[in-house]
Amino acid sequence: MGDIDFQAMEFAYEKHADQTASELARHRVVVVGAGPVGLTTALDLARQGVHVVVLDDDCRLSTGSRAICFSKRTLEIWDRLGVGQRMIDKGVSWNVGKVFFREQEVWRFDLLPEPGHRRPAFINLQQYYAEGYLYEQVRQQPDIDLRWKNKVAGVVQGDDGVTLTVETPEGPYTLHADWLIACDGARSPVRKLIGQESHGRIFRDRFLIADVKMTADFPSERWFWFDPPFHPNQSVLLHRQPDNVWRIDFQLGWNADPVEAVKPENVLPRIRALLGPDAQFELEWVSVYTFACERMDKFRHGRIVFAGDAAHRVSPFGARGANSGVQDAENLAWKLKLVLAGLAPDTLIDSYGAEREFAADENILNSSRATDFITPKSDISRSFRNAVLNLAKDHAFARSLVNSGRLSLPATYASSPLNTPDADAFTGRMVPGAVALDAPVQARGEPGWWLSQLDGGFVLALFCLDALPDRATLQALQALRMAPVPIKAVLVAGAQTDVSEAPADLAVVRDDEGLLAKRYDAQGGTAYLIRPDQHIAARWRAFNPEAVAAAVHRATGRA
């Protein structure tokens, strides 16, 4: 069976009972936008039992490759939502990147140099495939009501939610949402309807994107050229995608005419200059884009929350756009679930703003620096860049200054109000606010992965590397399931630990290779509290039920 042509699919408008209801239809959550961020948000909420209405003003998925680089962290999130493996199976996995200056390779880097990770640093996958796989997963969720050709045309906020006016081919109707999540893109109609704007910087440069179908023996790596002989004084990026499609980005300069630039007679000579005059290829898609780094001042406005490009936008080099949007979705979904269930105050949603606004600022900073390096704005800055590139071939210090796009990494919420500060000494990266690292484990006698044990709720990991805890500790761990906010306890056993006496209803994994303990700087008795979005909430050298309860209280916005 061949792949589905997601670009050609059209979804029929269907009239909904809400349109003719005698009373105003009321819904807990309405998501606007059926792109990667909106669909991920809806899936995450639905898998936690929250009914979601998704409104989209179109009847199609995206066309053209658009976002193509999906990071390890995004894949881990999609794993939890049941679509990660499908993305991997179709995508082109890669860890290695190369940087060229003129005719020479000056730097090679490996984004995942150590073994023991389930997912690669990145996959390349056309956005229409990512959206298509998310859409098919959404169709299997009875708690998601996806409505095509439903355009939000009016928004009125009240104390208890938002009233929407929705336009359809059969006329307008209104509905009420306790919470409205705007994932409606960089031009966000919802943002405009409430009188908000994004602020930031528009860069005076243009790039041409060309999707080229061809058979080539280039490796699955990221290749970036500064001032190559086939495109002098500019930059070029080459990526491999599935289906023998290659993504090529050509820097054009600010004075390029975007209408003329996309014409085949102007695109084809650029591609032949790169590939050679005899190269055989087909041009699949072409577009011109301008760099922008900007965000809204605040991501939460009453009962309206913004995510993805609607909230923030970055230049494409670094793969920070779609990846940060998916991380927005994961950050928001568990918090909104707890608020709707009455297990947390609605001020918990303020922490979504605090954490994801921080992440957006980090992405914008890195993206702006990359853009300034790629597109120098003065002779002095160009001379500095070229000197760095010349030195990078032979000197390690210069390689750290080369910036062809610092590639996306998940933010560490080091200053989050949800963190419980360390009271004990630790080393390593697993600080409160960091995203949990994966490692191979044995679960139920089968090889598995640590992140697969984190099931979308709070998890308390207790490392019992030499022996099981005493009976009182085991009983306290089992009691965590009955806490107001339930906590799943997982015993992490070392290679020599006898787990035969562990309670049958307590999860046990074996860290036979010791990688998990090493990555978490764990000793016997070390405990980690991990949030539903797999960020570290707290850690201790010894398990204390009262300390865990206080940390959960804090992590759910009740401190």
Side-chain angles (χ1 to χ4, degrees), residues 10-11 58 67 80 112 126 268 329 347 412 422 433 492 495 502 507 534:
E10 289 196 15
F11 306 104
D58 201 357
R80 188 172 52 76
L112 199 64
Q126 295 93 322
L268 296 178
T347 52
T412 295
D422 282 337
V492 181
Q534 301 179 349

Side-chain angles (χ1 to χ4, degrees), residues 6 9-16 19 33-35 39 53-62 131-132 134-136 138-139 145-151 166-170 173:
F6 288 115
M9 292 178 68
E10 289 196 15
F11 306 104
Y13 158 78
E14 295 181 5
K15 188 172 184 178
H16 196 277
Q19 295 172 237
L39 294 176
V53 175
V54 181
L55 306 177
D56 194 280
D57 61 1
D58 201 357
C59 62
R60 302 183 63 153
L61 303 176
S62 67
E131 288 185 11
L134 288 165
Y135 164 74
E136 291 188 341
V138 160
R139 288 181 59 194
D145 177 2
L146 176 53
R147 306 180 190 180
W148 300 103
K149 293 188 178 179
N150 275 241
K151 178 182 178 180
V166 183
E167 292 180 349
T168 76
E170 294 187 331
Y173 70 103

